[in-house]
């Protein structure tokens, strides 16, 4: 495949003796766009990528393009980049002045790259990061789902994979695939990944699409397979990754494109063509003539953990992103081996790393009653999903053993339980001091997690309904049950019950038995009525009214409260 070569004079800066060097230089925006990748965290079809950049804001791009169209305007802060393919980037120092030198970037021209090529190459990159992925086998049921999506979008896929054939494969229990379907939670690759990572899922989505395309004749392979396109994958194949500055870069490129497509730009293109230049080359020359030079700071480090660390620190310290997306990126972009060296640095930088891991597990694990029912901050989140910050506060009640206050009250029952009954729990018996027991308890995968999961499963099974139109729907914040107010009330009141009864928790099974005692004689249809409160639930008067009604009823559940009692 043809290769493009870019060379730039650079200055080398090294902030400390132990830090990686930074190369400072400038380059045309249109050139940068050919060798830099912007791995975005977004949805492709129903799948989530493993990038960390936010999806582009088209309004912001238009504003920046307008800003850059005025040649006097300058943006001083540089783009931040890092190595993604070290073999394609080299630095040659000046023999007389070693702080200066030449940066060479080589990148393949991808005009003739096929979707299958792109899928295979991204898989290879992920396998380099996590070698255990090579052992992962394709899930037959998952493949059928993707194949059904592809049939609807591509006539060639429909012709090559008739539904009858796939049904025959299903009847044969998937024997035509590499092996029987494997539970992603228990296989070798998953054991080496943190449970909440998206790397494994993304890898499987890539491998399944590659397997489908590889079985088709080359000339019949579509350019889009169930939402995955070449353009969406190129960011993982470029030699340099953009850590910060995607809107500035693409705004500058768009400004140049706007000029090239203007009357003045087209007139210049016509002059070039009339002089014998090929039209495409003429257009590119006009485009590049108006492309501004952007300053760049390139970090000579190719580790994904460093890329995520730099991105999170820059965006959280300078322009904070919404908590849901920050939590999703922090906790799901790296494998376990990649996470360990950067975890402490994130904590010391004030990034809520452990909270992010805890919430991510609760939103992504099949063991959790919240799986798929919490906002991630990625485009496409449903408006009625539980907010990331709400689940964070709910998990904190169990993990930190703080925040267990009944609305309208002042006593933190989770904290009281921690001070009086926590230390004697067999769940933390491995600790020799209260401080050590607490550290064991609150670790991202500590006993708190199983306790919280078991508690909320009990709530879901007893009071919830999978029908999203029901008044007690589990999964829709418009319901009486699945919302910030009542989930907080239930968690706080549970700790109030444990405190009043002087109970500790010696096993996860104790959660079941104590919940049964706590909810003895409570009507399972408590939340399944129209309370006629309206949509504005999260108000102080509503919170305190609902808390008072619940606690009084739970302590004397002879009859359900009257509906009008729920309205302040």
């Amino acid at each position: 495949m043809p290769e493009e070569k870019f060379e730039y004079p650079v200055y080398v800066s090294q902030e400390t003796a132990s830090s990686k060097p930074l190369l400072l230089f400038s380059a045309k925006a249109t050139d940068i766009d050919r060798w830099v990748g912007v791995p975005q965290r977004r949805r492709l079809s129903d799948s989530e990528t493993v990038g960390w950049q936010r999806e582009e804001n088209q309004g912001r791009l238009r504003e920046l393009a307008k800003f850059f169209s005025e040649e006097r305007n300058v943006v001083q802060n540089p783009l931040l980049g890092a190595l993604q393919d070290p073999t394609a980037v080299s630095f040659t120092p000046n023999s007389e002045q070693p702080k200066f030198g030449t940066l060479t970037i080589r990148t393949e021209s991808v005009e003739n790259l096929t979707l299958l090529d792109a899928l295979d190459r991204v898989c290879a990159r992920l396998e380099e990061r996590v070698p255990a992925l090579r052992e992962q086998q394709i899930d037959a049921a998952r493949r059928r789902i993707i194949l059904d999506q592809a049939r609807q979008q591509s006539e060639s896929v429909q012709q090559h994979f008739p539904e009858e054939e796939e049904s025959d494969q299903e009847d044969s229990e998937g024997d035509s695939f590499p092996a029987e379907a494997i539970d992603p939670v228990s296989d070798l690759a998953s054991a080496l990944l943190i449970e909440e990572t998206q790397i494994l899922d993304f890898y499987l989505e890539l491998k399944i699409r590659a397997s489908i395309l590889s079985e088709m004749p080359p000339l019949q392979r579509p350019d889009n397979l169930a939402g995955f396109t070449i353009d969406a994958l190129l960011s993982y194949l470029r030699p340099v990754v953009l850590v910060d500055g995607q809107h500035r870069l693409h705004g500058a490129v768009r400004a140049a494109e706007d000029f090239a497509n203007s009357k003045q730009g087209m007139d210049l293109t016509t002059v070039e063509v009339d002089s014998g230049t090929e039209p495409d080359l003429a257009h590119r020359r006009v485009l590049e003539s108006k492309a501004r030079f952007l300053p760049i700071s390139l970090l000579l480090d190719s580790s994904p953990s460093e890329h995520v660390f730099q991105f999170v620190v820059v965006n959280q310290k300078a322009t904070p992103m919404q908590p849901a997306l920050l939590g999703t990126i922090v906790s799901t972009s790296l494998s376990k081996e990649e996470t360990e060296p950067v975890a402490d640095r994130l904590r010391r930088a004030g990034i809520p790393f452990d909270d992010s891991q805890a919430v991510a597990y609760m939103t992504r694990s099949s063991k959790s009653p919240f799986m798929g029912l919490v906002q991630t901050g990625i485009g496409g989140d449903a408006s009625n999903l539980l907010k990331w910050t709400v689940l964070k506060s709910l998990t904190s009640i169990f993990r930190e053993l703080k925040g267990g206050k009944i609305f309208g009250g002042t006593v933190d029952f989770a904290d009281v339980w921690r001070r009086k009954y926590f230390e004697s729990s067999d769940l933390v018996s491995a600790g020799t001091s209260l401080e050590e027991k607490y550290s064991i308890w609150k670790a991202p995968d500590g006993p708190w997690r199983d306790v919280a999961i078991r508690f909320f499963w009990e709530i879901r099974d007893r009071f919830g309904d999978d029908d999203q139109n029901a008044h007690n729907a589990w999964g829709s914040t418009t319901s009486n049950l699945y919302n910030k107010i009542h989930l907080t009330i239930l968690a706080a009141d549970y700790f109030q019950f444990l405190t009043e009864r002087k109970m500790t928790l010696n096993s996860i099974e104790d959660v079941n038995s104590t919940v049964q005692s706590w909810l003895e004689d409570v009507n399972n249809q408590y939340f399944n009525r129209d309370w006629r409160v309206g949509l504005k639930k999260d108000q102080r008067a509503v919170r305190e009214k609902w808390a008072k009604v619940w606690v009084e009823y739970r302590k004397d559940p002879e009859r359900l409260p009257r509906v009008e009692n729920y309205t302040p």
Side-chain angles (χ1 to χ4, degrees):
M1 191 170 291
E3 182 181 83
E4 292 183 287
K5 178 181 176 181
F6 301 86
E7 289 188 340
Y8 306 100
V10 300
Y11 172 75
V12 182
S13 173
Q14 191 159 0
E15 296 184 6
T16 68
S18 59
S19 66
K20 293 290 181 72
L22 295 172
L23 301 187
L24 307 177
F25 64 106
S26 68
K28 283 187 177 182
T30 49
D31 287 350
I32 299 170
D33 200 37
R34 296 184 71 81
W35 47 255
V36 78
V38 185
Q40 295 177 339
R41 178 51 67 93
R42 57 174 172 160
R43 287 190 173 91
L44 297 177
S45 184
D46 294 327
S47 309
E48 212 175 290
T49 66
V50 294
W52 57 87
Q53 287 278 9
R54 286 170 276 194
E55 290 187 68
E56 287 183 341
N57 183 313
Q58 294 302 313
R60 189 176 176 193
L61 279 181
R62 287 191 295 270
E63 292 174 359
L64 281 167
K66 184 177 180 181
F67 176 87
F68 283 133
S69 66
E70 172 54 64
E71 293 189 359
R72 293 175 297 177
N73 290 343
V74 173
V75 172
Q76 285 186 266
N77 50 322
L79 308 180
L80 305 184
L83 301 185
Q84 184 160 255
D85 181 4
T87 64
V89 181
S90 61
F91 168 66
T92 304
N94 188 308
S95 58
E96 297 180 357
Q97 295 178 302
K99 284 289 185 180
F100 295 86
T102 301
L103 172 69
T104 302
I105 300 175
R106 292 180 172 83
T107 182
E108 290 181 324
S109 179
V110 295
E111 282 77 8
N112 298 320
L113 189 70
T114 67
L115 179 56
L116 180 57
D117 291 334
L119 289 166
D120 286 340
R121 293 188 185 199
V122 177
C123 284
R125 286 280 177 91
L126 293 176
E127 289 168 357
E128 289 176 6
R129 289 175 57 180
V130 187
L133 287 174
R134 296 187 180 97
E135 307 299 322
Q136 181 63 42
Q137 300 183 40
I138 291 176
D139 184 312
R142 198 168 184 172
R143 174 182 155 120
R144 282 193 292 273
I145 293 173
I146 293 173
L147 195 51
D148 285 341
Q149 295 174 353
R151 286 194 189 99
Q152 297 173 14
Q153 299 171 2
S154 171
E155 185 176 339
S156 61
V157 175
Q158 173 67 47
Q159 291 175 349
H160 192 77
F161 294 97
E163 295 187 30
E164 295 76 15
E165 292 184 13
E166 192 65 18
S167 298
D168 293 341
Q169 290 176 350
E170 183 176 351
D171 293 339
S172 64
E173 299 183 358
D175 292 338
S176 61
F177 299 112
E180 61 182 344
I182 291 180
D183 180 1
V185 174
S186 61
D187 66 6
L188 175 61
S190 293
L192 296 176
L193 298 171
I194 54 176
E195 294 111 320
E196 49 270 26
T197 187
Q198 280 300 119
I199 294 177
L200 176 59
D201 283 343
F202 185 48
Y203 176 81
L204 285 174
E205 296 290 327
L206 295 168
K207 290 295 288 186
I208 290 172
R209 285 165 174 80
S211 74
I212 292 172
L213 290 175
S214 65
E215 295 176 20
M216 298 179 65
L219 295 180
Q220 294 182 20
R221 294 169 184 165
D223 295 328
N224 181 329
L225 191 70
F228 280 52
T229 64
I230 295 174
D231 288 343
L233 300 175
L234 287 182
S235 288
Y236 300 93
L237 302 175
R238 301 293 193 187
V240 174
V241 61
L242 192 65
V243 175
D244 184 64
Q246 65 166 324
H247 286 94
R248 275 169 282 147
L249 170 61
H250 293 151
V253 171
R254 181 175 291 192
E257 291 173 342
D258 289 345
F259 173 82
N261 294 325
S262 68
K263 184 180 185 304
Q264 183 181 357
M266 288 189 288
D267 288 344
L268 292 174
T269 301
T270 300
V271 172
E272 287 270 356
V273 172
D274 289 344
S275 66
T277 306
E278 290 292 326
D280 288 346
L281 179 57
H283 177 80
R284 182 171 175 180
R285 284 178 177 175
V286 173
L287 176 68
E288 293 180 347
S289 71
K290 296 300 289 187
R292 65 170 57 215
F293 283 80
L294 296 177
I296 305 170
S297 173
L298 178 64
L299 179 67
L300 292 183
D301 193 320
S302 60
S303 63
S305 60
E306 186 65 26
H307 301 167
V308 172
F309 177 81
Q310 293 294 333
F311 171 81
V312 170
V313 170
V314 167
N315 283 276
Q316 187 66 359
K317 298 302 181 183
T319 309
M321 66 179 70
Q322 57 173 303
L325 182 56
L326 174 66
T328 298
I329 289 170
V330 165
S331 57
T332 65
S333 297
L334 304 172
S335 69
K336 184 175 182 179
E337 287 78 5
E338 292 168 337
T339 298
E340 289 174 349
V342 79
D344 286 339
R345 291 172 63 198
L346 285 167
R347 295 185 188 103
R348 290 195 298 269
I351 305 301
F353 179 76
D354 292 332
D355 286 340
S356 298
Q357 277 195 305
V359 176
Y361 182 88
M362 298 288 280
T363 65
R364 296 168 186 274
S365 172
S366 59
K367 299 177 182 179
S368 168
F370 295 99
M371 186 184 75
L373 303 176
V374 180
Q375 292 181 356
T376 63
I378 303 168
D381 281 339
S383 60
N384 64 342
L385 296 178
L386 198 68
K387 290 184 178 179
W388 192 94
T389 49
V390 171
L391 185 56
K392 177 180 177 294
S393 69
L394 292 172
T395 58
S396 292
I397 295 175
F398 289 86
R399 181 168 172 262
E400 304 285 343
L401 294 177
K402 293 179 181 177
K405 292 182 180 180
I406 304 292
F407 293 121
T410 58
V411 178
D412 186 338
F413 290 104
D415 182 60
V416 174
W417 183 81
R418 179 183 63 84
R419 288 186 279 111
K420 290 187 174 182
Y421 309 110
F422 164 75
E423 190 172 5
S424 61
S425 171
D426 289 346
L427 292 171
V428 291
S429 59
T432 57
S433 65
L434 179 58
E435 182 179 359
E436 191 174 328
K437 290 174 183 286
Y438 189 48
S439 295
I440 293 172
W441 172 269
K442 66 178 293 191
D445 58 350
W448 74 270
R449 193 169 75 180
D450 288 335
V451 169
I453 286 174
R454 187 66 63 89
F455 172 80
F456 285 112
W457 268 120
E458 287 285 327
I459 296 301
R460 175 174 179 164
D461 290 344
R462 178 147 186 163
F463 295 120
D465 194 316
D466 290 334
D467 179 359
Q468 297 302 288
N469 295 317
H471 296 301
N472 59 334
W474 184 269
S476 175
T477 54
T478 60
S479 79
N480 297 329
L481 172 63
Y482 193 77
N483 58 66
K484 170 185 175 180
I485 302 176
H486 261 127
L487 294 179
T488 302
I489 291 171
L490 293 170
D493 187 47
Y494 175 64
F495 278 104
Q496 176 178 229
F497 174 81
L498 294 180
T499 301
E500 291 174 343
R501 298 294 182 92
K502 300 180 180 180
M503 292 178 168
T504 191
L505 298 173
N506 293 313
S507 67
I508 303 304
E509 287 68 30
D510 282 353
V511 179
N512 297 72
S513 60
T514 53
V515 167
Q516 293 303 315
S517 297
W518 170 52
L519 299 177
E520 186 177 1
D521 296 330
V522 168
N523 192 320
N524 292 354
Q525 298 301 307
Y526 178 87
F527 297 95
N528 191 23
R529 294 183 295 162
D530 184 0
W531 294 345
R532 300 191 292 274
V533 176
L535 297 178
K536 294 184 178 180
K537 301 174 183 176
D538 196 8
Q539 304 176 56
R540 180 176 178 178
V542 174
R543 292 194 298 264
E544 293 182 0
K545 185 68 171 178
W546 285 8
K548 182 175 185 293
V549 171
W550 163 260
V551 172
E552 289 180 350
Y553 169 73
R554 194 266 299 171
K555 292 183 176 181
D556 183 16
E558 183 177 358
R559 62 175 61 88
L560 287 171
R562 298 175 62 175
V563 168
E564 52 266 29
N565 289 354
Y566 294 96
T567 303

